[in-house]
Every structure is written in structure tokens, then in C-alpha cells.
Amino acid sequence: DMGLSPGDTLSFQLPNWLECVVINLACAFAGLVVNPVIPIYRQAELRVILKDARTRIAFIPDSFRDVDYAGMYAGLRADLPELAHVIAVRGAGDGVQALIARGRGLTTPLPDVAPDAPKMLIYTSGTTGLPKGVIYGHAQALASIAYSFEAWGLAGEGTATVVPTPVTHVTGFMHGLEGPFLLGTRAILMERWKADEGVRLMEHHGAAYMIGATPFLTETLKAAQAAGTHLPALQIFACGGAEIPPDLIRRANDWFANGTATRVFGASEVPMVTQGCLNDAEQAAATDGRVYRFDVRVIDDEGLPLGPGAEGEILARGPSMFLGYTSRGETDKAIDADGFFHTGDLGRLSADGTITVTGRKKDLIIRGGENLSAKEIEDALGLHPSIADLAVVAAPHVRLGEGVAAFVVAAEGKCVPDAATLGAFLSQAGLAPQKWPEFVFAVEALPRTASGKVQKHLLRAEAKSRLAPTAS
């Protein structure tokens, strides 16, 4: 009734609220492409995402965590001619409830939606600094979650999970918004992660599984120990998306009564390439899981396949793999002639089918499971008048796995700005707070190759040596 047609994009930038469930179902029935947008994003990211997605309608909080979403979107409207409607959720101007009431009186026929039609569009940080739109079909969404349950031996109907991971991430979306309707699971959405409340919810609802990045497992274990509960209903805790200390997995498995904490590997483009190692506690801790229903290759710098145990770039293809990016050029670069997605992650594939990730070929920082583009941060900081040269890399962070570190060469006659100053500068540029450097190191010069390329592996090693014992 508002002028949308099948194939149009609907965006929502919301916390883990039940309204997301209603919006997602409406999109599925009407053949609209749903575009979950992470709530931390600000003007710089939104301008790129909403324009690339050709968003026709956007749902935003009336108010959440003191962020003026309405003001942000009002400031963007001039750059987004296809954005016809911006609708506030909750609060005085609750547009979702008004739409539900309005819809009750309509009899618009629903279209037939093909299983391979685009269902979801989600954006991930690219190494170029620009977010890349990842397209999923309806069939891929089903495969992604169904294979996890198959591998883990869980029954779908009635199986509960607590979902603190944002539903605007692939994992949160699949298990928080899709699972209950595809498999009959029960999802308990948490608007804001508080570990003691999460443990209470897991106990109360008998949560059988949970998926989350390193901070969620770290804090769940700590809160469970503080509460004196071994979470007997928990069978699986799949941990991925950030650097995972093997000892964390071991300690969790020593404490949980029946649960297997296990590392898993995947990406927005190829979720859950591995499903962990459920029958080998040491492999669950020391590797990133066993490949399940995916084909995986490891290749060298010349693109030639490597044998078991050799380190190279990890490639993957499978039924839950994305359809492609919104950019055909980016799709062609990322997917080869054999249909394999080049993950940009370095690792080893063992003879028994387990993957161990050893590093990163692409220039990304994975902060608490959130992919951040180092180049995007560098491009914005490079405009600061006190900076002559800089490089941004991942640094060790006790809680989040990785944090943002900036190595800065001061401009002549200037001093290197501190982290607070650079954060304020990036805020003015419209970048999300998660992209502000937590660690700033003043250096005389950056290490470079003979051709002038910054040797970031040396900077990452330097950050690790400085921060590993104390990073927080």
C-alpha cells in the first residue's frame, strides 16, 4: 500500500527487538529484500549502505542509547532519493504499530517468492574501506541454520537459544529471526548483553545452544561460575568471529556440565564453514573446527592448491554460500571460476578435515566479532592536520580479541594526537565509535618494503609485544 514492490529493499537499524521479527516476516511474505543494519553505524556508513542497497523504506529507533537516529536520517535524505519512508519504532511515534493496524484492513495479494530469490542484504567491511553488500537467497538462509542443527545433533522443535548477538549480524539474524520459523526453535532476544542476565535466561529457558564471539563466551563462563551454575541444559557453545584463546575453550569445557564449547569458522559470505569439534575436546580448543557440508581448498600465492597442513589462503564453497555482492566487480574478484569464495583468511586444512586459522590476508580488524576496515579508518584519520603518516592494525584486546591500534607519524611541528582526540575527530567524520583507535603509538617512520608498502605484519607484532600482557 506504500508503493513497494517485490525485490525492493527494506532496511532496519534496530536493536534485538521483537519488531525485527515482524519486519522480517513481512519482507519474506511480500518478496522484499530485508537489509539489517548494525545499530552502531553512523552517517558515514549509512550513506554508503542505504545508497548501495537502494533502500525504499527504513525502520529506526524512536530513541536508543541517546543516539539521534531521526536526526541522522534527516541529514541523509538529500543523498538518498530512493528512500521514500523512514519509520520510527517504539516511543511516541511508533510507526510499526500504526502499520500493523493499517495493514489489518488491506487485502493485497502476496506474490510467489522463489527459493533462490534474494532474501537478505547484509553489509560487511571491505578491505577497500567501503562496505560490501552480501546477498542471500531464501534457500541459503535455510541451509545455514539447518546444517548446524544437523551437525550438532540437536532437534529443532522447541530447542532454545539466548541471542545477545545483534540480529543485524548474519548469526543473530539466522538464529534469532529465522530459526523459530524454519525449524521451530525458541529464540530469547537480548537487547543489551549483560552476562549475569544472560546466564539467568539460559537457566530459565533451558537454552541448549548459544553462538557468540569471544567476549560472550568469556563473560558467560565468568557469570556462570559466579552464580555457581554449570548450565546443565547447555549442549553447544559455538565461538567464532574473533581471536579465540584455546585455553578459554578448555576452561569453559571444564566448567560446563554437558556443553561443548568449540571454535567455529566462517564469514558473512560463507557462514559456518566448520561446525566445531564435538567429540574431541582438544581439537575443539586448538583448531577452528571440522569442515561440514562445505568444500574447502587452501591455496598458495600463485593460486595453486596446497596439501594437508600447509599454510595458505582458505577458499570455501557450499549450499549456504551467499549469492554474490551487490557489486558484480567485487563478486568476480571474490569468487573464482570453480565457485570458491576467497575468504582472505590464512590457515591450514588438516588431513582429518579440521581448519586452523593462522592469520589474515585481507586488511581487517575483528573487534568482538565486528569486522572493521583498517583502510577506512586510515583514510579518515589521514585528514587530521597533525598526522603526516599512519597505519592502522589489529592489536590484542583481552575482552574483544582485537582492538584498533594506530601507528602515527606526526606532521612537522605537531604532536601525535591522543586516542581521545582522534576519537573525537572520527566522530565528526561520522564513523562508529567501535572504529576509534584504542591504542595510539607515536613513531618516527613506518616500516615499508622496497616498493613502499607498509609492513603491517611488523606493526601487528609490535602492538602485540607492547600490549599483550596488559591490553584491556
Side-chain angles (χ1 to χ4, degrees):
D1 188 49
M2 298 174 72
L4 277 74
S5 302
D8 284 347
T9 302
L10 179 155
S11 299
F12 68 84
Q13 188 178 21
L14 297 171
N16 287 9
W17 289 351
L18 287 175
E19 288 85 349
C20 299
V21 178
V22 178
I23 291 167
N24 185 47
L25 284 175
C27 289
F29 280 124
L32 302 175
V33 179
V34 64
N35 168 224
V37 180
I38 302 169
I40 65 169
Y41 281 167
R42 301 294 183 260
Q43 298 96 317
E45 297 95 349
L46 291 172
R47 185 175 286 106
V48 174
I49 290 170
L50 299 177
K51 186 173 183 177
D52 185 70
R54 303 180 65 178
T55 298
R56 298 275 294 134
I57 180 170
F59 289 87
I60 62 174
D62 181 66
S63 177
F64 184 67
R65 293 192 178 181
D66 300 321
V67 176
D68 182 12
Y69 287 93
M72 279 199 301
Y73 277 72
L76 294 169
R77 291 294 287 269
D79 298 326
L80 304 170
E82 296 187 71
L83 182 58
H85 309 279
V86 177
I87 297 177
V89 177
R90 300 194 179 183
D94 192 333
V96 171
Q97 298 306 318
L99 278 179
I100 290 171
R102 180 176 171 183
R104 287 195 177 102
L106 300 176
T107 57
T108 305
L110 295 175
D112 291 327
V113 180
D116 59 352
K119 170 193 176 59
M120 179 181 69
L121 175 58
I122 200 160
Y123 283 79
T124 184
S125 288
T127 53
T128 62
L130 294 175
K132 292 189 291 188
V134 178
I135 305 170
Y136 274 96
H138 292 260
Q140 283 78 29
L142 172 59
S144 176
I145 186 169
Y147 291 158
S148 290
F149 275 68
E150 182 181 272
W152 298 339
L154 293 178
E157 192 68 35
T159 299
T161 182
V162 172
V163 185
T165 300
V167 296
T168 47
H169 281 191
V170 168
T171 300
F173 182 90
M174 295 299 184
H175 291 270
L177 303 185
E178 296 282 286
F181 301 97
L182 294 174
L183 300 179
T185 61
R186 293 186 294 131
I188 297 90
L189 303 183
M190 292 188 73
E191 174 188 296
R192 184 179 307 212
W193 170 242
K194 294 180 180 178
D196 55 350
E197 176 67 5
V199 166
R200 187 192 70 78
L201 290 170
M202 292 170 76
E203 287 254 276
H204 179 74
H205 293 279
Y209 80 102
M210 188 167 164
I211 304 177
T214 306
F216 293 111
L217 178 55
T218 301
E219 293 166 19
T220 296
L221 175 60
K222 184 178 179 180
Q225 290 172 332
T229 174
H230 293 272
L231 296 174
L234 183 67
Q235 298 179 51
I236 303 291
F237 196 119
C239 189
E243 188 171 326
I244 307 158
D247 188 57
L248 171 61
I249 301 295
R250 296 184 186 105
R251 287 188 288 111
N253 283 327
D254 285 343
W255 180 263
F256 296 149
N258 301 303
T260 297
T262 184
R263 289 159 59 177
V264 295
F265 168 72
S268 295
E269 296 87 344
V270 284
M272 302 296 282
V273 173
T274 72
Q275 301 287 351
C277 292
L278 306 190
N279 300 316
D280 189 318
E282 186 51 32
Q283 281 194 328
T287 77
D288 290 283
R290 185 167 286 109
V291 176
Y292 191 83
R293 285 195 178 262
F294 266 88
D295 296 322
V296 170
R297 288 178 181 170
V298 175
I299 62 171
D300 63 15
D301 289 340
E302 304 302 319
L304 299 175
L306 295 169
E311 183 186 67
E313 184 181 5
I314 301 168
L315 280 56
R317 68 180 180 190
S320 59
M321 177 174 158
F322 75 135
L323 297 176
Y325 294 117
T326 53
S327 164
R328 179 57 185 269
E330 292 288 351
T331 304
D332 290 342
K333 285 192 294 183
I335 301 176
D336 64 24
D338 293 329
F340 280 88
F341 171 68
H342 291 235
T343 68
D345 291 301
L346 301 175
R348 300 183 178 92
L349 178 64
S350 69
D352 66 0
T354 57
I355 289 176
T356 303
V357 178
T358 57
R360 198 168 304 131
K361 186 175 180 180
K362 55 190 180 183
D363 197 12
L364 290 177
I365 300 163
I366 305 180
R367 183 183 186 276
E370 199 80 63
N371 285 1
L372 310 179
S373 166
K375 186 179 185 300
E376 179 188 21
I377 301 168
E378 289 168 347
D379 288 348
L381 287 179
L383 301 175
H384 195 288
S386 295
I387 295 177
D389 199 6
L390 84 151
V392 171
V393 298
H397 193 294
V398 170
R399 177 173 178 266
L400 301 171
E402 292 181 351
V404 180
F407 286 82
V408 179
V409 179
E412 187 174 353
K414 304 286 187 179
C415 295
V416 170
D418 61 16
T421 301
L422 294 182
F425 184 77
L426 291 180
S427 178
Q428 289 295 316
L431 265 66
Q434 283 73 4
K435 299 178 181 180
W436 304 351
E438 290 134 304
F439 314 109
V440 179
F441 305 118
V443 293
E444 294 295 320
L446 300 175
R448 295 181 182 273
T449 64
S451 62
K453 185 178 181 180
V454 176
Q455 295 177 299
K456 288 201 167 182
H457 66 286
L458 296 180
L459 296 179
R460 283 190 285 267
E462 175 68 15
K464 186 173 183 179
S465 68
R466 295 196 194 197
L467 297 173
T470 58
S472 60

